[in-house]
Amino acid sequence: MRLDWPGQPRHLRRWVLAGALAYFVLIGGTNMGAFIPEGRAINALIGAALVALWLWELPRRNDIVDRLVLLALLLFLVACVTSQFPRMSFDAAVNAVAYAAAFGVARTELASEGARRTFILLLAGCGFAVSLLLLSWWAPQWLAWIRESGTPPPF
């Protein structure tokens, strides 16, 4: 049994998770997502939803990989609790829980070929968006360099 929203098509869940992934790749995992309070709040909400979804599905899918991921996560959390640097350890612990949850949800969602194709297209789209963004930031600088020096910038 899968956790789907009542009255919604099954693909809606996949697109919501894909949107969350795109947000993390383009905004949430950047400095803007890490240092702006609104970005941190959105990151926390998406991360909490991801952890809840993972824990909801965990009992239904309990296999050796899930047990090993949970064991590794628990050992890492014990190391964080016993650390002499509590603030840095807390940040690392929160990240580890989010990564374990993302891995668990991704294993479920990417089980079908169609989902894997959608995932690859989404990552390609994110890469294209980042390329366009960087081009829009750097093209004026490159053009100014060429106008001033008459040669292309040294790459």
Side-chain angles (χ1 to χ4, degrees):
M1 175 170 212
R2 292 180 50 119
L3 178 65
D4 288 313
W5 294 285
Q8 299 297 327
R10 287 190 160 267
H11 295 291
L12 177 63
R13 169 190 159 119
R14 186 173 295 152
W15 284 108
V16 168
L17 291 171
L21 172 68
Y23 168 79
F24 273 123
V25 169
L26 297 174
I27 299 170
T30 65
N31 286 338
M32 186 168 58
F35 297 121
I36 295 176
E38 294 84 5
R40 291 183 70 148
I42 293 170
N43 284 352
L45 288 174
I46 292 173
L50 198 62
V51 169
L53 181 61
W54 178 52
L55 292 176
W56 173 269
E57 291 181 341
L58 198 57
R60 292 170 183 74
R61 198 192 60 215
N62 195 5
D63 65 356
I64 188 69
V65 174
D66 289 322
R67 289 187 210 126
L68 290 174
V69 168
L70 277 175
L71 177 64
L73 179 62
L74 289 174
L75 290 174
F76 186 81
L77 293 177
V78 166
C80 289
V81 167
T82 59
S83 171
Q84 294 180 354
F85 303 101
R87 175 64 186 154
M88 289 186 288
S89 295
F90 178 73
D91 289 342
V94 169
N95 287 338
V97 170
Y99 291 139
F103 175 73
V105 171
R107 282 187 64 219
T108 302
E109 292 303 314
L110 298 177
S112 71
E113 181 65 27
R116 288 190 294 271
R117 285 186 186 148
T118 302
F119 178 71
I120 289 170
L121 287 174
L122 176 71
L123 288 179
C126 288
F128 184 70
V130 168
S131 298
L132 288 178
L133 184 65
L134 290 175
L135 182 65
S136 72
W137 288 343
W138 283 100
Q141 303 301 321
W142 293 335
L143 292 174
W145 179 284
I146 291 169
R147 264 187 262 125
E148 291 294 324
S149 68
T151 63
F155 294 112

